[in-house]
Amino acid sequence: MKVNGSLFRTIWPTADGAVEIIDQTRLPHVFATLRLNSMRDAEFAIRSMQVRGAPLIGVTAAYGVALSMKHHASDAALKATCDMLARARPTAVNLRWAIERMRDLLSPLPAGERAAAAWLEAERIAEQDVEINESIGRHGLELIRSLHQRKGDTVNMLTHCNAGWLATVDWGTALAPIYAAFEAGIPLHVWVDETRPRNQGASLTAWELAQHGVPHSVIVDNAGGHLMQHGLVDMVIVGTDRVTATGDVCNKIGTYLKALAAFDNGVPFYVAMPTPTLDWSLQDGVREIPIEERGEEEVTHIDGLCDDGQVRRVRLTPQGSRAANYAFDVTPARLVTGLITERGLVAANADAIRARLKNN
Amino acid sequence: MKVNGSLFRTIWPTADGAVEIIDQTRLPHVFATLRLNSMRDAEFAIRSMQVRGAPLIGVTAAYGVALSMKHHASDAALKATCDMLARARPTAVNLRWAIERMRDLLSPLPAGERAAAAWLEAERIAEQDVEINESIGRHGLELIRSLHQRKGDTVNMLTHCNAGWLATVDWGTALAPIYAAFEAGIPLHVWVDETRPRNQGASLTAWELAQHGVPHSVIVDNAGGHLMQHGLVDMVIVGTDRVTATGDVCNKIGTYLKALAAFDNGVPFYVAMPTPTLDWSLQDGVREIPIEERGEEEVTHIDGLCDDGQVRRVRLTPQGSRAANYAFDVTPARLVTGLITERGLVAANADAIRARLKNN
């Protein structure tokens, strides 16, 4: 999508066999790209959230395997690479999905053929991500179009965290329908949850919507319930890091609270879900999905731009107060209106998911 | 309560006829007191949130009337004073309650007697606030004690915003039961919602709990639902700015989301309510209570302490992104387990409220 008027993706191969990414930790105040030369660079990019978002994490891991195979393509190196990359973020199922796909392809090949095959496969995974998101955009567009036809006025969307193009290779998952509707000329306004503690909404979603010209307002995570009570939200659409076979949705912490408010006010609550995000092994999201706990500094401190143009970290809490930092929560399927997948809209229950998506 | 080991209140008269307050805009990084010499100082303190919290706003307004009467005690001056103070914050019903009480007392008096009477009445309102909060603390303590007896382990409380002693003259409303339980030796831990956008939880509740020695953890506002799903919250207790005759509760933005999560997980959700906070004129909180919209800079910027010891303001959002800032929301009575008042526990419905509290 557009940055300063030019089209960008979040990750792309360079002519000399490396990979470039947008350093998302520096947004929204600084737009900078970074070169990944090695598997360790890729692993660091995932762990430090220079890249984030389930689909982009998967693609970055695939390129990480490819970068590793250029130098060491033995069975032992393949295993060590896959193990190391898989540990970079514990929750994202796409990460393990992409690594498994690379391992399954590469394991049977002679070591001498692995580097070239890995590179092609990483590119293929990236292209497939773009295709998936375009399809999610098309299916979601129809939902927004019919809302707009019923309402006859600007459609107010609400989204949490960043499931935009910055979270994928291009288009995004939750934001793909919004970009598709915007391109189709449907009048739109997006409420952007700032999404504490890492503020991916205020810093990434707001930035990409602003760059692309989509009308939006940043709100604190506390505000969505009030907006829904007053008819100011027509549809909620969020991304997901992992969905169970029964339709429970693991996503950024706070998603569950918005789903409760949507349910309480009759606002449709959709989850944009690329089918690789489905985890067929899980039945009960709240009980079975391990929730990543991150460092307390993400809660106690925050980065921002000072008047003098410097990005500085400031402390928000008093000395002597500890913080707890759970990164995700699980929204039970009963609160989800539907899953917008690349294959169309699927109800969030075990029967519908099995019937529509089982033959992946 | 304790600050650096010494007992403090939030507002107190000086020997020479002025009033002192704690400047709450500088907490938690700087503890400083401020002198109010005039009604305009009091009005500014309320408007700029140097004092905040419904009960403390009411007491400050009462002292503001008293400070004004020292210099100008005519009927016209009394009217102008009351009108100006009432406009300082639109939502707090205590503000108007305290001003009405001062006006009703002073109007029939000769101008020459108004200054002395106003001063005594402001002191009386302050003392009554302390008595009310001590009573709320005693009644809430019984709820916490019985939870502890059933659980036999540390009781995990969750609170939103700051309804602690900093929001009142002393003790607090929502935190009064917590302080009472702490003093009674019940093992406690408090989850403190940071409460964006003004972070009253992270900066004020955390600070006062830390100063008094009460175990607590700061969390982002997004986290409470996840904690409740996993049995990590035994009771929610919040304050309120205004309660309808039917039990709908207006409180800091985001309270409604926590009430939904508590209801969904069977966690008791209590509101600490001094009876002056009741607004008998209102029946439907969501439809009837006007919600204050504040400046967008509270969302787009935040203050914090830099490594060099300076408190600086940083920008969180990209250039070109607007923000919306609704300060309160309304929690429907159906989500409220009970109102903890100075007269005991009252169910959040019109019949119970009328039967227990009508003869104020």
Side-chain angles (χ1 to χ4, degrees):
Chain A
M1 311 304 283
K2 286 185 197 158
V3 179
N4 301 323
S6 300
L7 288 174
F8 267 84
R9 287 184 167 187
T10 53
I11 189 166
W12 60 95
T14 65
D16 59 348
V19 173
E20 280 198 70
I21 59 169
I22 297 170
D23 181 356
Q24 301 195 22
T25 60
R26 303 190 66 189
L27 292 173
H29 308 301
V30 177
F31 175 70
T33 61
L34 264 183
R35 191 178 155 97
L36 309 182
N37 291 304
S38 67
M39 180 270 281
R40 286 184 188 276
D41 288 350
E43 192 272 340
F44 181 79
I46 295 168
R47 183 160 43 81
S48 66
M49 299 175 87
Q50 289 169 338
V51 293
R52 13 75 50 213
L56 177 55
I57 287 172
V59 172
T60 307
Y63 274 115
V65 174
L67 287 167
S68 178
M69 291 300 103
K70 282 168 52 179
H71 303 293
H72 306 285
S74 68
D75 286 358
L78 179 59
K79 180 175 187 314
T81 294
C82 293
D83 289 352
M84 185 170 196
L85 286 165
R87 280 194 301 269
R89 288 288 297 279
T91 305
V93 69
N94 287 53
L95 176 63
R96 287 194 300 287
W97 171 86
I99 292 168
E100 285 309 309
R101 177 164 157 173
M102 296 298 284
R103 197 202 312 256
D104 290 350
L105 174 85
L106 299 177
S107 291
L109 297 181
E113 294 176 19
R114 284 175 177 167
W119 197 258
L120 282 175
E121 189 68 2
E123 290 188 338
R124 209 173 291 130
I125 293 175
E127 289 305 324
Q128 283 176 0
D129 177 63
V130 177
E131 286 165 25
I132 284 173
N133 300 336
E134 285 178 333
S135 296
I136 288 173
R138 274 195 306 278
H139 295 300
L141 164 62
E142 295 315 311
L143 296 170
I144 297 173
R145 197 194 301 279
S146 77
L147 254 180
H148 177 245
Q149 284 165 351
R150 276 205 304 280
K151 187 179 180 188
D153 200 352
T154 299
V155 177
N156 285 302
M157 312 287 296
L158 185 145
T159 191
H160 191 70
C161 199
N162 177 261
W165 73 269
L166 289 171
T168 64
V169 178
D170 208 352
W171 285 97
T173 55
L175 295 197
I178 288 171
Y179 287 122
F182 179 75
E183 300 293 338
I186 297 171
L188 276 178
H189 169 262
V190 185
W191 298 109
V192 178
D193 274 0
E194 66 172 347
T195 319
R196 287 277 293 147
R198 292 182 66 88
N199 271 36
Q200 292 95 333
S203 56
L204 303 179
T205 300
W207 181 83
E208 63 169 85
L209 291 175
Q211 289 290 334
H212 207 77
V214 181
H216 64 283
S217 304
V218 178
I219 50 173
V220 295
D221 302 307
N222 284 322
H226 169 75
L227 295 174
M228 293 186 215
Q229 283 179 316
H230 289 269
L232 297 170
V233 180
D234 298 306
M235 183 194 289
V236 180
I237 184 165
V238 298
T240 174
D241 291 76
R242 203 163 178 181
V243 174
T244 66
T246 53
D248 294 340
V249 173
C250 182
N251 192 44
K252 188 59 52 189
I253 190 83
T255 302
Y256 166 54
L257 295 172
K258 292 301 136 62
L260 285 168
F263 190 83
D264 199 46
N265 292 285
V267 174
F269 182 93
Y270 288 102
V271 177
M273 182 196 78
T275 55
T277 313
L278 253 176
D279 188 335
W280 293 101
S281 71
L282 298 177
Q283 303 297 315
D284 181 333
V286 174
R287 289 181 49 194
E288 293 175 346
I289 298 179
I291 299 297
E292 180 180 355
E293 284 188 67
R294 298 179 57 86
E296 64 181 333
E297 309 76 37
E298 291 183 356
V299 177
T300 58
H301 293 68
I302 200 165
D303 293 339
L305 188 70
C306 284
D307 275 347
D308 62 5
Q310 294 293 309
V311 173
R312 287 199 178 84
R313 176 157 298 184
V314 298
R315 183 179 179 95
L316 304 175
T317 51
Q319 290 287 347
S321 289
R322 301 298 305 267
N325 184 12
Y326 298 87
F328 299 90
D329 65 21
V330 173
T331 298
R334 65 186 150 86
L335 302 175
V336 177
T337 308
L339 307 167
I340 307 173
T341 79
E342 70 274 20
R343 302 196 197 175
L345 189 65
V346 178
N349 65 65
D351 290 346
I353 290 170
R354 195 172 45 241
R356 293 285 303 282
L357 304 175
K358 189 60 188 181
N359 301 313
N360 255 334
Chain B
M1 310 303 284
K2 287 186 197 158
V3 178
N4 302 323
S6 300
L7 288 173
F8 268 83
R9 287 185 169 187
T10 53
I11 189 166
W12 60 95
T14 65
D16 59 349
V19 174
E20 280 199 71
I21 59 168
I22 297 170
D23 181 357
Q24 300 195 23
T25 61
R26 303 191 66 189
L27 292 174
H29 308 300
V30 176
F31 175 71
T33 61
L34 264 182
R35 190 179 157 96
L36 309 182
N37 291 304
S38 67
M39 179 270 281
R40 285 181 189 278
D41 288 351
E43 193 272 340
F44 181 79
I46 294 168
R47 183 159 43 81
S48 65
M49 299 174 86
Q50 289 168 339
V51 294
R52 13 74 52 211
L56 177 55
I57 287 172
V59 172
T60 306
Y63 274 116
V65 173
L67 287 167
S68 178
M69 291 300 103
K70 281 169 51 180
H71 303 293
H72 307 283
S74 68
D75 286 359
L78 178 60
K79 181 175 186 316
T81 295
C82 292
D83 290 353
M84 185 170 195
L85 286 165
R87 280 195 301 270
R89 287 289 297 280
T91 306
V93 70
N94 287 53
L95 175 61
R96 286 194 301 286
W97 171 87
I99 292 168
E100 285 309 309
R101 177 165 158 174
M102 297 298 284
R103 198 201 314 254
D104 290 350
L105 174 84
L106 300 177
S107 291
L109 296 182
E113 294 176 19
R114 284 176 177 166
W119 197 259
L120 281 175
E121 188 69 1
E123 290 187 339
R124 208 173 292 129
I125 293 175
E127 288 306 322
Q128 283 176 0
D129 178 63
V130 176
E131 285 164 25
I132 283 173
N133 299 335
E134 284 178 334
S135 296
I136 288 173
R138 273 195 306 277
H139 295 300
L141 164 62
E142 295 315 311
L143 296 170
I144 298 174
R145 196 195 301 279
S146 78
L147 253 180
H148 178 246
Q149 283 166 351
R150 277 205 304 280
K151 187 179 181 188
D153 200 352
T154 299
V155 177
N156 285 302
M157 313 288 296
L158 184 145
T159 192
H160 190 71
C161 198
N162 176 261
W165 71 269
L166 289 171
T168 64
V169 178
D170 208 353
W171 285 96
T173 55
L175 296 197
I178 288 172
Y179 287 121
F182 179 74
E183 299 294 337
I186 297 172
L188 276 178
H189 168 262
V190 185
W191 298 108
V192 178
D193 274 0
E194 65 173 347
T195 319
R196 286 278 291 145
R198 292 182 66 90
N199 272 34
Q200 293 96 332
S203 56
L204 302 179
T205 300
W207 181 82
E208 64 169 82
L209 291 175
Q211 289 289 334
H212 207 77
V214 181
H216 64 283
S217 304
V218 178
I219 51 174
V220 296
D221 302 308
N222 285 321
H226 169 76
L227 295 174
M228 293 186 215
Q229 283 179 317
H230 290 268
L232 297 170
V233 180
D234 298 306
M235 182 194 291
V236 181
I237 185 164
V238 298
T240 174
D241 290 76
R242 202 164 177 181
V243 175
T244 67
T246 54
D248 294 340
V249 173
C250 182
N251 191 42
K252 189 59 52 191
I253 189 85
T255 301
Y256 167 52
L257 295 171
K258 292 301 136 61
L260 285 168
F263 191 82
D264 199 45
N265 292 285
V267 174
F269 183 93
Y270 288 102
V271 176
M273 183 196 78
T275 55
T277 313
L278 253 176
D279 188 336
W280 292 101
S281 71
L282 298 177
Q283 303 297 315
D284 182 333
V286 174
R287 289 181 50 195
E288 293 174 348
I289 298 179
I291 299 297
E292 179 180 357
E293 283 188 65
R294 297 179 57 86
E296 66 181 332
E297 309 75 35
E298 290 183 357
V299 177
T300 59
H301 291 70
I302 200 166
D303 293 339
L305 188 70
C306 284
D307 276 348
D308 61 6
Q310 294 293 308
V311 173
R312 287 198 180 85
R313 175 157 297 185
V314 298
R315 183 180 179 94
L316 303 175
T317 51
Q319 290 286 347
S321 288
R322 302 297 304 268
N325 184 13
Y326 299 87
F328 299 90
D329 66 20
V330 173
T331 298
R334 64 185 151 85
L335 302 175
V336 178
T337 308
L339 306 168
I340 307 173
T341 80
E342 70 273 21
R343 302 198 197 174
L345 189 65
V346 178
N349 64 66
D351 290 346
I353 290 171
R354 194 171 47 240
R356 294 285 305 281
L357 305 176
K358 189 61 188 181
N359 302 312
N360 255 336

